[in-house]
Amino acid sequence: MKRTPPAIVILGQNSLPIAQTISAVFPGSQIYGLVDRTSDTDINFSNFGETLRELFATQTPIIAICAAGIIIRTLAPLLSDKRAEPPVLAVAEDGSAVVPLLGGLHGVNDLAREIAAALGVQPAITTTGDIRFRTALLSPPQGYYLANPEDAKTFISNLLAGAKVSIEGDASWLWESNLPTSQPAPTGATTERIAPSAQLTIRVTEKAIVPTADCLVYHPQIVAFALTQLSDIEPEIAISYVQQILENADLASGSVAGFFALKHDIGNPILEAISQFFKVPVRFLNLPELVEFDSVKLIEYNASFDVTAAQIALTAAGANSQLIGYDRTNAFRCAIALAAEPIDASAIGISRGKLAIVGTGPGGAPWMSPEVKKILREATDWVGYKFYLDLAGSLREGQNRHDSDNREEIDRARFALDLAASGKSVAVVSSGDPGIFAMAAAVFEAIDSDSKPEWQGIDIRVAPGISAMQAAAAAIGAPLGHDFCAISLSDILKPWEVIEQRISAAAKADLVVAFYNPISTKRKWQLGRAIEILLQTRDAKTPVVLGRNLGRPGQSVRVCTLGEFQPEDADMRTLVIVGSSQTRIIPRKYGDVWVYTPRRYDLNL
């Protein structure tokens, strides 16, 4: 599987040229810059510690251009399991030093070498085994799985103490190392390097063997496991079938590069469960993509053999692959093929498409949740209204942006769903919360009305954001402290008569009312009419909160009374909160006020 692009963190503008040099080495990386001290970065942050801990928690590789000490002190409270630590490196501001700090099991030394090569310096690698043997036994290259990492530390210590090792199996990265064997690297078809009287062994095999303390076992991920004719059965049972099939074939689960199926099975919970259990991807192909296969040659196979499964497995395994097994269970039919080299599953077919509808909050990055930031980082495509996409930040390399007019919600939703159905990871971007007068409802409306089969397999999620009414309320106190409702004054998608009925009902129910879309260039009279309706049952001294450009440059929050409030006081970027009979104004020492609605309701008011 492809590695996650790193985050490059800088604290000052002087570090930007080094960051840009490093970023060029890692497609998809993003440069994080401290607010007010940096410019021209991909993402701005205001709190170094929170940002670093957030990246660490999401297992994002971190390249921080600063002193190593500040990184260590920041991340020290999070250190508990070295197998879960992402790579973390410190780079000197002038690029003179590259120091790997954490993530030895996830290739931090390899990252250090790549960065150092780009900067023209030597990496400060302190891992003795890496230095002496020119290979990281704890973190094999992509396409290989270490079966017994718990034995690696003692194994490497014995090597450093002078023990010899025999290498059995086919892995050029081991042959090219300086491991202490008594023979040079093999040539031609030779696949073993045997050291006479070797006390230790490294074995590279797809077979299921039991590792020992004196034998490190690496499984090349060369197994393509294809599944067809999936039935309605508990995922746990399907997983047990896969385990049994691998055991019967004498194959290690660590050798499985991926599970493969036809596109009409996208979203099948059996496949999702199997993929998550074995921690390898599931990829999908179309029938026309499959290799030709002569089923006549397999006449000796019994009726359980499935030609389509065999085609899928051989297509995934590529040229010179070999079909080695097939099976039939109550859950599926399957076939297994062995590839000549480790398989890059991400290059085969498509993945299950993802569609996340995210809320960025009313402002920029400081208002976004860690979940939303992660989704935006990982998405292949951003879809949304141009203004909202601008608030979401800048794209990293390889991401695509799709702007559309703010009045094209359903068409935008359909476009995003089609993108996701093609295997993309799509972020539909709304401001505020996507489920409040925003794109989440538009996406589900499109699904409901169009009923396109290819949309059914998409992994859809909604990531909430801070709504405009929450932001306005927080800026002035707690006007939403008791029962409230939200009403949009836009009559584009619903009749004005319905809006009037709801305003009247909310006023009679004595609810605090948050008005969205209060006015526009083409719709001016409705807000005035809303004020008239409210004044029929609500006191003219009722507090009104007007929040404009919340979380953005030019933010303003002011308070007036319902009797003073005029339509020209608001625009489309204003959120209006009209208090209830209980809402109170508290004067502050220097002229400002707080507004709140008590949690207790007093009938005597």
Side-chain angles (χ1 to χ4, degrees):
M1 298 176 68
K2 293 182 178 178
R3 64 188 179 192
T4 303
I8 304 166
V9 183
I10 65 174
L11 300 176
Q13 196 65 18
N14 289 341
S15 301
L16 184 61
I18 296 297
Q20 290 171 332
T21 299
I22 296 172
S23 181
V25 178
F26 303 105
S29 61
Q30 291 182 300
I31 300 175
Y32 287 62
L34 185 61
V35 172
D36 298 331
R37 294 189 183 181
T38 61
S39 60
D40 300 321
T41 57
D42 298 315
I43 295 176
N44 294 325
F45 65 88
S46 57
N47 187 300
F48 176 80
E50 289 180 3
T51 301
L52 223 62
R53 287 188 287 269
E54 178 185 314
L55 291 168
F56 189 86
T58 57
Q59 297 189 323
T60 303
I62 299 169
I63 303 167
I65 304 179
C66 62
I70 187 175
I71 304 172
I72 293 168
R73 287 190 293 273
T74 298
L75 298 179
L78 304 183
L79 304 184
S80 59
D81 180 6
K82 68 179 183 180
R83 298 195 67 173
E85 294 170 359
V88 179
L89 305 96
V91 177
E93 184 180 284
D94 61 358
S96 61
V98 180
V99 185
L101 300 174
L102 298 169
L105 297 180
H106 294 279
V108 70
N109 289 339
D110 291 334
L111 280 177
R113 291 186 180 96
E114 293 180 67
I115 296 168
L119 299 177
V121 299
Q122 287 296 317
I125 294 174
T126 57
T127 309
T128 306
D130 283 27
I131 295 170
R132 187 178 299 182
F133 305 135
R134 281 202 303 118
T135 190
L137 293 178
L138 279 168
S139 58
Q142 182 178 329
Y144 292 86
Y145 174 82
L146 174 58
N148 54 329
E150 65 280 0
D151 295 322
K153 184 175 181 180
T154 301
F155 189 96
I156 294 171
S157 295
N158 290 334
L159 285 176
L160 293 170
K164 298 289 186 180
V165 63
S166 294
I167 300 175
E168 303 175 6
D170 193 355
S172 60
W173 60 280
L174 289 170
W175 300 337
E176 295 165 0
S177 70
N178 284 337
L179 288 167
T181 63
S182 61
Q183 291 180 244
T187 58
T190 305
T191 59
E192 296 183 354
R193 184 162 73 183
I194 307 298
S197 304
Q199 301 95 331
L200 304 173
T201 304
I202 293 177
R203 185 169 296 166
V204 182
T205 178
E206 73 279 4
K207 298 295 184 181
I209 63 173
V210 178
T212 59
D214 58 359
C215 178
L216 288 188
V217 177
Y218 294 93
H219 296 306
Q221 294 178 312
I222 59 174
V223 174
F225 198 118
L227 301 100
T228 61
Q229 300 186 38
L230 287 91
S231 61
D232 185 14
I233 197 169
E234 290 296 323
E236 293 78 9
I237 297 175
I239 290 170
S240 68
Y241 284 150
V242 173
Q243 291 175 306
Q244 188 61 55
I245 290 165
L246 290 172
E247 184 179 331
N248 292 343
D250 194 25
L251 292 172
S253 62
S255 295
V256 178
F259 294 93
F260 302 89
L262 293 177
K263 285 184 180 177
H264 67 246
D265 286 320
I266 289 178
N268 189 299
I270 288 179
L271 293 174
E272 294 298 308
I274 290 172
S275 174
Q276 291 175 18
F277 181 85
F278 290 96
K279 295 181 173 59
V280 293
V282 56
R283 305 287 293 186
F284 300 92
L285 300 97
N286 274 326
L287 277 172
E289 298 176 88
L290 305 183
V291 296
E292 292 292 330
F293 192 75
D294 187 358
S295 59
V296 175
K297 294 179 180 179
L298 297 160
I299 194 168
E300 70 275 13
Y301 287 178
N302 62 32
S304 68
F305 180 76
D306 185 81
V307 174
T308 303
Q311 287 180 286
I312 295 170
L314 289 169
T315 302
N320 303 317
S321 59
Q322 177 187 4
L323 188 69
I324 66 164
Y326 61 93
D327 213 323
R328 178 182 183 178
T329 73
N330 292 332
F332 50 76
R333 291 189 179 188
C334 67
I336 297 173
L338 287 188
E341 298 288 341
I343 299 169
D344 179 6
S346 65
I348 300 165
I350 65 169
S351 63
R352 182 188 183 191
K354 296 180 180 180
L355 179 67
I357 310 122
V358 306
T360 62
W367 294 83
M368 296 183 204
S369 70
E371 178 190 26
V372 167
K373 291 178 182 177
K374 184 174 186 291
I375 289 170
L376 289 172
R377 267 200 316 271
E378 296 178 352
T380 59
D381 295 78
W382 293 5
V383 176
Y385 174 46
K386 180 182 185 303
F387 180 70
Y388 298 155
L389 292 182
D390 289 342
L391 291 175
S394 58
L395 299 169
R396 60 171 169 77
E397 185 178 342
Q399 288 182 310
N400 299 303
R401 171 173 162 156
H402 309 275
D403 297 11
S404 60
D405 186 272
N406 198 30
R407 293 166 294 182
E408 299 173 355
E409 288 94 345
I410 296 297
D411 287 341
R412 184 189 307 146
R414 291 182 175 120
F415 174 77
L417 286 161
D418 285 338
L419 267 181
S422 71
K424 302 288 188 180
S425 176
V426 182
V428 177
V429 180
S430 289
S431 69
D433 182 283
I436 300 177
F437 303 121
M439 283 302 300
V443 168
F444 292 112
E445 182 180 346
I447 294 171
D448 188 28
S449 63
D450 291 18
S451 300
K452 294 179 71 170
E454 58 266 37
W455 292 351
Q456 296 304 310
I458 298 171
D459 180 7
I460 299 176
R461 61 193 288 201
V462 180
I466 299 171
S467 69
M469 64 183 176
Q470 290 173 300
I476 201 64
L480 304 181
H482 199 74
D483 296 343
F484 66 92
C485 66
I487 299 175
S488 170
L489 293 186
S490 173
D491 59 355
I492 296 175
L493 299 176
K494 63 179 182 287
W496 175 252
E497 292 76 14
V498 172
I499 297 173
E500 282 204 7
Q501 291 170 9
R502 291 176 178 177
I503 297 170
S504 179
K508 291 174 183 177
D510 200 22
L511 297 173
V512 175
V513 183
F515 285 119
Y516 282 75
N517 308 313
I519 199 166
S520 72
T521 55
K522 296 182 179 179
R523 183 173 44 78
K524 297 181 179 296
W525 61 269
Q526 286 95 329
L527 180 56
R529 176 61 182 146
I531 295 170
E532 291 176 6
I533 295 171
L534 289 169
L535 284 170
Q536 291 172 9
T537 55
R538 199 154 294 187
D539 194 291
K541 294 181 180 179
T542 301
V544 176
V545 178
L546 304 170
R548 188 177 187 278
N549 279 338
L550 298 162
R552 307 167 194 163
Q555 171 178 307
S556 66
V557 181
R558 72 182 187 89
V559 178
C560 65
T561 65
L562 186 58
E564 298 168 338
F565 182 33
Q566 299 296 316
E568 55 265 28
D569 293 336
D571 61 17
M572 276 297 286
R573 295 187 181 181
T574 303
L575 190 286
V576 178
I577 297 176
V578 179
S580 70
S581 66
Q582 309 289 308
T583 304
R584 297 286 175 262
I585 296 176
I586 304 174
R588 299 173 67 184
K589 182 176 180 180
Y590 296 106
D592 294 334
V593 297
W594 292 117
V595 177
Y596 83 107
T597 303
R599 292 178 297 165
R600 183 178 292 106
Y601 197 89
D602 188 349
L603 289 172
N604 295 319
L605 290 175

